[in-house]
Amino acid sequence: MKKILLVGKVCGELHWIHECLKQRYQVQICSTQYEMIASMIGIIKPDMMIMYQNTNGEIDAEIFSEISRNWPKLPVLTICSEDEWYYFRQYCDGKYFYFLERPIKNVVLMLRCQSVLAEYGGADESKLKQQTILVVDDSTLVLRNIREMIGDCFKLLCATTGEKALEIVRQEHVDLILLDYEMPQMNGLQVFQTLKSVDVTAKIPVLFLTGVSDKEKIMEVLSQHPAGYILKPLNKNRILEEINTTLRSKQ
């Protein structure tokens, strides 16, 4: 399921947009503050962002410049008046910005989202299936479950320790790593930091896959800028979405 970040001041029409979109997409509402937008983009990795400008004019045009600079390939659909769009587009540097005039209708909104996502396009799925993923977890049960979930979609390599994982990446080509946090001797964060300290492995995207939900530990991991953070229990659709989104972003 595609993910949409819906940015705007909470109001009746924003909730209406949310209700329309959630029939087909995974939707997260976010405030118009840039710091919050940047944080949410990093956490949920949306396939598309919708900026809803209400009649009170809550959106700072500089946000478009920041998005252009930091996420140049993230498609952004702005819902506003024609005059507002004429002003906003001066700050939109790139081809991934789209406009929908307010007020909107259900069918028009859904068709527009569909067309934007189709134009943004996905990577060739056959190429994704050729990718190699290293799964690192000290639980053989978890490794077996992950193999059952995604083993038919990717080539999988498995390691039950951080040391073994580092040995594998020195010997094998790896496109992405699913990394547990809590492991004996060498935890996931230590493995991640070791990977980032070596040029050859520094660019391998890492998705933390773990049951750790402690806020301080999560913030410690996120401060190191991994490709993502997936909480257990395991969910096949969530794992596949995160993997595919991350691998597409590399291409």
Side-chain angles (χ1 to χ4, degrees), residues 82-123:
E82 189 172 359
D83 287 342
E84 288 166 336
W85 178 241
Y86 180 80
Y87 173 66
F88 286 150
R89 68 182 181 182
Q90 302 175 66
Y91 296 82
C92 300
D93 182 18
K95 65 178 182 179
Y96 293 102
F97 290 91
Y98 305 85
F99 163 60
L100 188 58
E101 187 173 6
R102 188 186 67 234
I104 54 175
K105 295 181 179 180
N106 185 330
V107 175
V108 175
L109 173 64
M110 299 304 285
L111 288 174
R112 189 62 166 144
C113 290
Q114 184 178 343
S115 67
V116 169
L117 288 168
E119 183 175 344
Y120 177 58

Side-chain angles (χ1 to χ4, degrees), residues 3-7 18 25-30 40 44:
K3 293 178 287 187
I4 294 178
L5 182 62
L6 177 57
V7 176
H18 178 260
Y25 306 106
Q26 180 181 330
V27 186
Q28 175 65 53
I29 294 178
C30 179
M40 292 306 299
I44 73 171

